Amino acid sequence: MDKFKRQVIFIEESIAYFEKKIQGVNRDLYFADRDIRSILDKTINDLILCLVDIAEECLRKGKRVVADTYKDTILACYEFLGEIVIRVAPLVKHRNELVHQYLKVNWQNIATVKNKIPDIRAFVEESKFYVSSRAEETGQGDG
């Protein structure tokens, strides 16, 4: 199985895991339960880093240079993936805040990412379509 397919499987599994773990969690529980906080923060970190990895694969397939920052890497895919990149690129900011433990804003970041799950899914679907079409154009099949 190629790297891109593994990334897609990983992000799809991570979305499902996040959705399962966020059920019934509110702001107070998030702050009170260190385990829940750790699980949600790590899962969001994983989701966003995987979005960047997927964007990098799209750029490579398009024979483009990978940008220097996570946000720019995602935005650089606009040519291939369209408007969806504009909706997911700001999530990188939330990842940075989570990683650096700005606890007061972490719950808001969790809520933001939760609301952006449909956009994350759309980004993944657009990426799958793009990578698949590039593979067909180059005669490489789907891996």
Side-chain angles (χ1 to χ4, degrees):
M1 183 181 314
D2 73 8
K3 182 178 179 181
F4 181 77
K5 285 183 181 179
R6 287 191 309 272
Q7 291 167 341
V8 168
I9 289 168
F10 179 82
I11 201 165
E12 289 171 346
E13 290 173 350
S14 295
I15 289 169
Y17 182 73
F18 176 78
E19 289 177 323
K20 178 182 169 189
K21 293 300 182 181
I22 193 78
Q23 288 180 5
V25 176
N26 60 25
R27 182 183 179 276
D28 292 337
L29 181 57
Y30 174 80
F31 284 121
D33 190 320
R34 183 179 185 160
D35 291 338
I36 289 173
R37 191 168 60 247
S38 179
I39 288 167
L40 293 175
D41 291 355
K42 182 184 181 320
T43 305
I44 285 179
N45 183 54
D46 290 347
L47 281 169
I48 294 169
L49 289 177
C50 194
L51 279 175
V52 173
D53 289 343
I54 288 170
E56 288 176 357
E57 287 299 308
C58 289
L59 291 171
R60 286 185 191 102
K61 293 287 185 190
K63 304 211 182 306
R64 300 296 189 277
V65 175
V66 173
D68 291 333
T69 67
Y70 292 159
K71 185 175 181 180
D72 288 343
T73 296
I74 292 174
L75 289 172
C77 291
Y78 183 86
E79 172 186 355
F80 313 123
L81 308 179
E83 292 292 321
I84 193 62
V85 302
I86 306 280
R87 297 196 306 265
V88 298
L91 293 175
V92 171
K93 171 185 151 263
H94 302 293
R95 182 241 170 224
N96 292 339
E97 290 170 348
L98 285 167
V99 166
H100 297 293
Q101 296 297 310
Y102 305 135
L103 191 58
K104 292 181 181 179
V105 296
N106 278 9
W107 174 251
Q108 186 56 46
N109 289 334
I110 299 288
T112 298
V113 171
K114 179 182 176 187
N115 293 332
K116 288 287 193 175
I117 292 293
D119 289 334
I120 294 171
R121 283 192 171 111
F123 180 89
V124 172
E125 289 305 313
E126 289 294 326
S127 298
K128 285 167 43 179
F129 178 76
Y130 174 72
V131 168
S132 173
S133 68
R134 292 296 299 165
E136 289 173 12
E137 287 175 17
T138 60
Q140 294 177 353
D142 59 357

